[in-house]
Amino acid sequence: TAAAPRPWRLFGAMCLLRLPRITQPLEKEEEEMAALMGQIELEKSHYSDHEIRKLEEEELLKKRKESPYDDNDEAPGRKVIMAQDLEEKWEQKLLQFKAAPRITDADKKNNRASLNRRLDRNLMFLVKQKIGNQELWLLPQVEWQPGETLRNTAERAMATFLGDHIQAKILGNAPYGIYKYKFPRAIRTEDNMGAKVFFFKAFLQSSDLSQAKLKEDYLWVTKDELGDYLKSEYLKKVNQFLLD
């Protein structure tokens, strides 16, 4: 019950991930395999409707060159668009197309507070919180309150730092991991041994955080960058459920 003494303080934390927006570049072996599979598919493939149409038109033009051409065969004022004309039009569109850069300004400036970075990787949301007399980088967390489920607590943690307008898909009702630690001996008692942090996971569904609070220090980092901010034992627990 809420009134019963609890030797462990309970916390809910949210692992909020921004999923990749673009594919990762292929490794050399992957490029070679993709080229091989493309060649095999090409050799075994059949003509498309467009290719059949182009062959038929080429055959028709060949016959017309070999025999006198009668203008009456075509309806007056009718504009005929050949398959070759379409290909030239598509070629012009392709020449005008310019792919967006894979490396963004945030990547160049190493701005880890920006969502518009490392577009081919997962990004995790970290915040700086005061724990005791220390300021630590953590997944957003708050303490459990009576009447809440642990998932409710994790949702409140996310809303505390990003506001109620955040759009995220929370995965399941059970925690993905737990981190337990004891308080320093000076403040440890039988009824206050330490804390247990239960981790939940969510996927960010909107890249527009204009209405988010973001009052605290925050970062969006990849799995490889977590070691620059999280303590080793905490990082070990997070890595157990974090896939890249």
Side-chain angles (χ1 to χ4, degrees):
T1 64
R6 295 179 179 274
W8 297 92
R9 294 172 62 184
L10 305 182
F11 290 80
M14 185 63 77
C15 174
L16 180 61
L17 296 172
R18 188 224 67 189
L19 297 178
R21 297 178 181 173
I22 61 176
T23 58
Q24 292 188 0
L26 297 178
E27 300 290 342
K28 181 181 178 182
E29 294 80 3
E30 293 174 324
E31 289 181 349
E32 293 174 352
M33 179 58 70
L36 176 61
M37 296 304 295
Q39 183 64 29
I40 293 174
E41 182 179 359
L42 176 63
E43 292 174 358
K44 293 184 176 181
S45 65
H46 298 281
Y47 285 126
S48 66
D49 291 344
H50 175 77
E51 290 171 321
I52 293 174
R53 172 185 171 183
K54 185 177 179 182
L55 291 172
E56 290 175 347
E57 289 177 353
E58 289 175 351
E59 185 66 25
L60 180 60
L61 288 174
K62 183 179 177 181
K63 289 181 179 179
R64 286 181 174 176
K65 288 180 180 180
E66 294 174 352
S67 61
Y69 178 73
D70 187 0
D71 291 337
N72 294 327
D73 290 345
E74 299 288 349
R78 180 182 176 186
K79 185 177 180 180
V80 179
I81 301 178
M82 308 288 286
Q84 185 64 37
D85 298 330
L86 289 174
E87 289 188 5
E88 292 175 358
K89 181 180 179 182
W90 296 335
E91 184 69 25
Q92 290 300 317
K93 282 189 175 182
L94 178 61
L95 292 174
Q96 295 172 5
F97 173 77
K98 185 178 180 182
R102 296 179 64 91
I103 305 300
T104 66
D105 291 338
D107 287 318
K108 296 175 182 177
K109 298 175 183 178
N110 196 26
N111 180 11
R112 297 187 177 185
S114 173
L115 263 178
N116 194 36
R117 65 182 295 267
R118 302 303 298 271
L119 301 181
D120 61 345
R121 300 286 300 277
N122 288 326
L123 291 184
M124 181 188 291
F125 183 62
L126 296 183
V127 293
K128 185 177 282 188
Q129 293 184 253
K130 190 168 185 179
I131 305 297
N133 58 358
Q134 300 183 65
E135 285 193 341
L136 302 174
W137 286 104
L138 303 168
L139 303 183
Q141 68 178 44
V142 293
E143 188 168 1
W144 173 84
Q145 294 180 353
E148 284 185 331
T149 64
L150 285 171
R151 169 170 165 160
N152 293 151
T153 307
E155 289 175 341
R156 182 163 55 85
M158 183 170 60
T160 299
F161 294 95
L162 290 170
D164 297 326
H165 299 285
I166 188 68
Q167 297 180 21
K169 180 177 180 61
I170 300 171
L171 307 180
N173 295 316
Y176 279 75
I178 179 173
Y179 172 65
K180 182 172 72 172
Y181 63 94
K182 290 185 177 181
F183 294 144
R185 292 184 180 274
I187 63 172
R188 190 189 310 168
T189 66
E190 291 185 0
D191 296 335
N192 197 28
M193 293 288 294
K196 294 181 180 180
V197 183
F198 295 87
F199 299 109
F200 288 76
K201 191 184 288 187
F203 292 154
L204 184 67
Q205 294 187 305
S206 172
S207 58
D208 182 13
L209 299 182
S210 58
Q211 297 183 4
K213 292 181 180 179
L214 296 174
K215 294 179 180 179
E216 307 291 334
D217 292 334
Y218 67 94
L219 296 169
W220 292 96
V221 296
T222 65
K223 183 178 180 180
D224 296 338
E225 296 166 345
L226 289 176
D228 297 339
Y229 304 97
L230 303 183
K231 288 195 170 183
S232 59
E233 289 300 317
Y234 188 91
L235 175 62
K236 190 183 299 183
K237 296 297 182 181
V238 172
N239 278 333
Q240 289 178 354
F241 62 84
L242 184 63
L243 302 177
D244 197 10

